Amino acid sequence: MNTSSGDRAFVGPIPQVYEQYLVPLIFEPYARDLADRVASLAPTAVLEIAAGTGVVTRQLAVKLPAAASVVSTDLNQAMLDHALTVGTKRAVTWKQADAMNLPFPDGAFDVVVCQFGVMFFPDKAKAFAEANRVLRPGGAFLFNVWDRIEESEFADCINQAMARQFPNNPSQFMVRVPHGYYDRAAIVQALLEAGFADPILFETVAMQSRGESPRSVAIAFCQGTPLRNELEGRGATILDKATDVAAAAIQKRFGDGQVSGKIQAHVVCATKKA
């Protein structure tokens, strides 16, 4: 599965909408889970890749001791800039970096962590090999990926609404990218080929996603992800119309006021050979 540059462009107003709407909706629960897993390994040096606006970074800054260094990176400088405006409880290092070409020496970190980012890497094998390279022997690569879209109810509902809205040219972003890399066998094989030790640990974790309203959910997905780029490319008024359609679909399925839906992801842990 390849991604286009538009699929990876978190620019313009996307970072702010992403942080305001999408982070509390789907990312915060898994960020706490992932940071707890990192903390349980008692690392002294952690690298985060595809950090986005820093939801995991903020958790790491709270849950790791001050002596543990945290370096958070993302390909999109606009996302890092927004992360800086939100800030962290203690000092961390922010750096623009490509996960497929990390600017760090071999064996520099105890843990490499990535939340819902590997799906966006154009060359996953290269990114996995880079994570392996910068880890110390015995170090851990921890990441999560969304399960198939049918297991995440809000995303599935909005994807179906977009398919009805554009029957002759349906949007494929949600299925192609965020929910496009969930096959356990494929993930395990790619990590083994990158040099990680067997076995690869794989855990499926279901949670509840809670939105303030159907419209807040629609804004999160339609305007706070690169789906926005695709919609805006269809016409000047399409983004607002698509958001309205998505909000109506969420309301019809989940009701008015605060809404709740299932989300599901896989958490993967790969260990560098000693």
Side-chain angles (χ1 to χ4, degrees):
M1 184 271 296
N2 295 319
T3 59
S4 69
S5 58
D7 288 339
R8 304 187 301 275
F10 289 79
V11 295
I14 291 178
Q16 181 176 353
V17 179
Y18 174 103
E19 175 65 32
Q20 181 177 353
Y21 291 93
L22 203 62
V23 164
L25 184 68
I26 62 174
F27 291 138
E28 280 184 345
Y30 285 101
R32 291 190 291 269
D33 173 77
L34 205 56
D36 283 339
R37 294 171 190 265
V38 172
S40 72
L41 300 174
T44 60
V46 176
L47 171 66
E48 184 180 359
I49 54 178
T53 56
V55 59
V56 172
T57 312
R58 293 191 290 274
Q59 290 292 322
L60 293 173
V62 171
K63 296 182 177 183
L64 294 180
S69 67
V70 178
V71 179
S72 288
T73 68
D74 197 274
L75 180 64
N76 292 276
Q77 185 62 49
M79 296 291 271
L80 294 179
D81 289 343
H82 195 79
L84 280 166
T85 68
V86 178
T88 53
K89 292 289 187 180
R90 66 172 177 88
V92 303
T93 300
W94 301 94
K95 187 175 182 64
Q96 191 278 334
D98 185 343
M100 297 180 298
N101 187 24
L102 293 171
F104 306 106
D106 297 357
F109 300 97
D110 302 306
V111 173
V112 175
V113 61
C114 182
Q115 167 140 297
F116 300 122
V118 303
M119 308 91 76
F120 292 87
F121 299 159
D123 188 337
K124 294 171 181 58
K126 189 173 183 181
F128 290 168
E130 276 291 273
N132 188 62
R133 179 185 65 79
V134 301
L135 280 169
R136 295 165 185 161
F141 179 29
L142 272 166
F143 65 91
N144 50 21
V145 294
W146 294 116
D147 201 347
R148 64 193 187 106
I149 196 167
E150 292 83 1
E151 300 294 346
S152 289
E153 293 178 328
F154 290 156
D156 186 42
C157 181
I158 290 175
N159 185 65
Q160 292 182 35
M162 294 301 98
R164 292 190 295 270
Q165 182 69 14
F166 307 106
N168 297 323
N169 184 22
S171 168
Q172 294 297 314
F173 169 75
M174 294 299 295
V175 174
R176 184 177 65 247
V177 186
H179 294 273
Y181 192 61
Y182 58 84
D183 182 79
R184 176 173 181 162
I187 294 169
V188 168
Q189 184 61 33
L191 289 164
L192 293 176
E193 290 178 357
F196 285 98
D198 193 9
I200 307 296
L201 303 181
F202 200 100
E203 182 181 350
T204 300
V205 180
M207 296 190 183
Q208 283 292 305
S209 175
R210 293 179 172 83
E212 293 182 358
S213 68
R215 185 155 190 85
S216 72
V217 174
I219 292 172
F221 284 97
C222 293
Q223 301 185 23
T225 75
L227 175 59
R228 181 185 189 125
N229 303 327
E230 183 178 320
L231 293 171
E232 289 181 326
R234 293 173 184 253
T237 63
I238 295 298
L239 180 62
D240 288 341
K241 175 62 175 176
T243 305
D244 290 342
V245 168
I250 293 292
Q251 182 179 11
K252 181 178 180 180
R253 181 170 171 182
F254 299 96
D256 292 316
Q258 292 185 340
V259 290
S260 177
K262 176 191 174 186
I263 47 177
Q264 186 161 295
H266 304 307
V267 183
V268 185
C269 182
T271 303
K272 181 168 182 173
K273 294 176 182 177

